[in-house]
Amino acid sequence: MRATSSVIVGRDAETELLDEALESARRGAGRAVFLVGEAGIGKSRLAGECALRAYGRDMPVLRGRATSTGLVVPFRPLVEALSSRFRAAGAPDDPELDPYRPALAGLVPEWRAATTTPGYAISLVELAEALLRLLAVLGRERGCVILLEDLHDSDTETIAVVEYVADNVADLPVLLVGTLRPDPGPASDLALAAELRNTASVTELGPLDETAVRHMVDACLDAAPGEVPPAAHRHLSERAGGNPYLVEVLLADLLDMGRLSRADGEWLLADHGEATVPTGAVRSWARRLARLDEPVRELLLIAATLGGRFSVGALRAVTGLDDRALFAHLRSASEAGIIAPDGAAHDHYTFRHVLTADALRASLPPAEQAALARRAASAIEQSARASLSGDRADELAREQSQLVATLRLAAGDRAAASRQFAQVGRQMLDAGASGSAAVLLERARGLAADGERDEVTVQLALAQAESGRIDLASALLDDLAPVPVGTPAAEERAQAHTQVAWVATMAEQQQEARRRIRAARALLGAEPRPEQEAALVVVEGHLALLPEQEDDPRSPAGRDGHERLKEAERSARSAALTAEQRGRPVVACQAWQLLALLSRQRGFDEADACLVRMLEVAEKHRLAVSRAEALVRLGTNAFMRTGEATQLETARAAAHELGSLTVLQTVDGLLAMQSVLAGRWDRAREIVDRSVEASARLQNLSAHRYLLLVDATLAAHQGRAREQERAVTRFRRAGGEDSMLVPLQRGLCQAIGALMAEDRERATAELDAARAWEREHPSFFYLSGRYGLRPLLRILDGDGDGDGDGSGGGDGGREAYREALASPGGQLAWNRMFLGMADAVLRGRDGDPDGARRAVAEAGRAATAFPQAWHLALRLVAEAALADSWGEPVAWLRTAEEYFHEAGVQPVAGACRALLRQAGVSVPQRRGGRERIPAELRTAGVTPREYEVFVLLMERPGNLQIAQRLCISPRTVEKHMASLMAKTGCVDRSALCALSAERAEDGGPAGPAGPTGIAFRRPSA
């Protein structure tokens, strides 16, 4: 008789919590719930109840379980969870998921072939963010549930992804439920830390009390209350300790032995002596095994040796049975309620509970356990040599190697187990699963013989570094025993130090990076091989780009930053060539990337040549990441040259194909900044809102800082001072003022914000501060104002050629102009616009109005992509043009006033109106209805009331008729007519009426644009 309960008892509070969480997820307020308890306490039963209640609400459910075999299989619970949903419903095809398919391809087999790029390992955080987006899409209508069981057996990659999802699920229609034992380990640490951060609820399941056990037994036996003898209830309650699984096991034992039976409609408990009573689950299972046929018993013992979950192939290899006999025995064991087919994999079975496998193994004497494990390991090794093939061959080989290592350890062969674990760990590290690699290598290190432990330790240090645990990696390397300089062992360690130094540099941990470099050089001696030196100088070169930390006592003292960069460039150029010749393409790409940045100071053509070479090396050696990075940097240079985003969009497509969310966010930040400068503020806002929080979750620090800077710059260019200050504060909190972005923060953001507030003095101070920072630190951002806006403002403020008065940055306007003009930065479109206007002011001031007009026209051509900056330049220069009597300052001011009024930047619009009044020009009142006036008429200065007159003129009425219709006097109509003819350039009333009729034929008087050839007076620029 089966002794399983069909209902849940004693868990009312827990089921209520899950019900509330389900309803919360349906409303779009996600939660994470962790159910913690010992084996058999009922965690999986509660998770199943949660799934049933979700199904009842028509919510998608994804359910996966970690393996209990001890094998480290990256993402197994997640793969199983997604497969459980997509196997029946199919993978979603929502376009919103397109950027995330490459990252999800490792979890969704259907997306692998079409989306992944060879040579790129998706980062854990990228994958976690992609999973979060997938869950949000699945739960968009009714919410969704992801159930992950036995997290204590999970790989570290899965734990990291679960932590990410738990921390970021609050605003999504997703419920995450995880089950785990309270044993110390990463899963327990995750649950407790999430509870402390208030991002998850942790519920500990305690043992059932006597009343709950009684209800459970009655449910198992389908008995009415009072039918089961109280002695049976006491027996089960005392011996099971309130553990539901043990209650069922011991109840089944009573039934199988006939000690609890039903006769004449009632349940009876036979008398018993202590000698015949099982004292625990082990003895209970031993008794049950004894009643099975010998072949089935043998098969179950072998299966238990393989773990709580086992494959048919492994079982076949060890037993030697043919399929007919094998499946017959499996069917018998399944019918006995001991095992069941694994729903996640068609060729796997699982024990009904992990304790079952433990109990079966424990029923054998230790010597027999070891012999059986040794036999299984040998059989699986022999079978694996010829059987693995296909797309998953490497993955299956790693799983089988881990199983063999586990079996070797169970057989007592620690050295063989260590070598197997180390081999799989290195394979996983090469495949990008650094977290799982660290687990296996740590296991191998603990088992390794003295002569092999150091080699494993070096590999473990690399795995820890790639996992982001640089401190652990450094500690492992520092604890190694000394080796002679220049030996193979020393070279291997030096390479590890170099790789950890690179990771530390990318994480901006300068002190640690320098310590690793010094350690590597000490191991290599005075004359390292050229390729070793190349790898080191590339890391040192990238370190030189970072602003030096004042509290770093080991920073190179007394060396000018620009001298360091010159030295870094010389070394990097040699390193690039050496790395190519010595077969180190990754180092070569890193060197060319560094050179591209350093050579900007001589011109963007040379920088692009370095990037083209990087692209060639990357494509030749199929380095997908380096190829994408080269395209991104080429797109960045093109954007800076022209203001256009075409090549950046191409780079984004390459990043999408690659599947790298971090590279995508980098490109998105650049595209957002381009949109700000191009006045496409809605698009910039959409990109920032989409990417800024995601980049923080991905810990993509450089992209996150840049996106925060874009956010601040967007607010500054829109004249929204409070929003700008809030965004700048967030930028500072993210370490922005300790980064290379300081000049952009000062010049492109805060200086422009000051100009939008008509605070010229503050704008100049910000630009001077940006220039002062650049003099002290390496800088490669040429849009900070130093090469465009600053010279223009200095010239507008006065044309001193000396050192200045000490308050203005130490140079006069002409000197700043000449410096900018001679710099590669002066050739960029954004800067050419401001420099052209500076040239116009100087020419106008020197009595060359024709030259000034040509300079304005040239600046206007450079400003095509920057409408907001162009109108700002018109406003700034018009003041000088009025003073020196050149150009068309009135038209420029009207154009600028119209633009900034429509943009809502009232300080600048007001300044334009004030200058127009100073010039003796009538300024239209800003009445309502201006949005109805076509752009060309608004630019010409037509007021809303004048426009009402203009609209009526298409019917050619007289002044009296117009006056009656508009309720104004004929004299007022006459004034409006004269003003309209002056502003539109129409020579008489008849021409004005014809223009009104023509506008109506072209789409109505309120249409957006005027017909070609209308004689509106426009700025010549």
Side-chain angles (χ1 to χ4, degrees), residues 663-807:
V663 178
L664 269 176
Q665 289 170 353
T666 298
V667 182
D668 279 348
L670 294 165
L671 287 169
M673 185 65 84
Q674 188 274 337
S675 297
V676 171
L677 301 188
R680 300 168 64 188
W681 294 335
D682 288 343
R683 183 167 188 263
R685 170 55 54 204
E686 186 272 328
I687 294 174
V688 170
D689 289 346
R690 180 183 72 219
S691 302
V692 68
E693 297 304 329
S695 63
R697 292 195 297 265
L698 284 174
Q699 300 176 28
N700 187 4
L701 182 59
S702 60
H704 182 61
R705 283 176 181 163
Y706 194 81
L707 284 160
L708 290 175
L709 178 61
V710 173
D711 193 21
T713 305
L714 172 60
H717 285 228
Q718 292 178 293
R720 299 176 178 176
R722 290 185 179 179
E723 292 180 22
Q724 174 193 335
E725 186 54 39
R726 285 195 295 268
V728 167
T729 299
R730 292 183 65 196
F731 173 76
R732 288 171 177 156
R733 287 174 180 168
E737 292 196 334
D738 295 323
S739 72
M740 298 171 64
L741 298 176
V742 171
L744 291 183
Q745 173 210 353
R746 292 284 195 173
L748 195 59
C749 172
Q750 291 179 219
I752 296 290
L755 290 174
M756 293 299 101
E758 282 295 313
D759 190 341
R760 184 89 61 86
E761 183 178 351
R762 180 160 62 90
T764 301
E766 293 288 357
L767 291 166
D768 288 344
R771 180 174 179 271
W773 191 96
E774 289 180 314
R775 282 188 164 182
E776 297 296 325
H777 304 84
S779 179
F780 308 95
F781 297 105
Y782 292 95
L783 303 183
S784 62
R786 178 179 180 179
Y787 302 101
L789 179 58
R790 183 177 179 275
L792 173 60
L793 292 185
R794 301 289 286 171
I795 286 171
L796 289 172
D797 288 342
D799 187 22
D801 276 324
D803 290 337
D805 59 7
S807 62

Side-chain angles (χ1 to χ4, degrees), residues 610-665:
C610 293
L611 291 173
V612 168
R613 184 56 190 158
M614 176 183 174
L615 185 61
E616 291 171 350
V617 173
E619 290 180 338
K620 177 181 178 181
H621 295 277
R622 299 183 179 181
L623 302 176
V625 178
S626 296
R627 176 181 181 273
E629 289 177 343
L631 290 173
V632 169
R633 283 158 180 76
L634 284 167
T636 303
N637 286 357
F639 149 56
M640 294 176 70
R641 284 174 184 256
T642 66
E644 298 295 333
T646 305
Q647 283 190 249
L648 274 178
E649 294 288 0
T650 301
R652 191 181 193 281
H656 180 274
E657 179 185 355
L658 174 66
S660 170
L661 295 181
T662 55
V663 178
L664 269 176
Q665 289 170 353

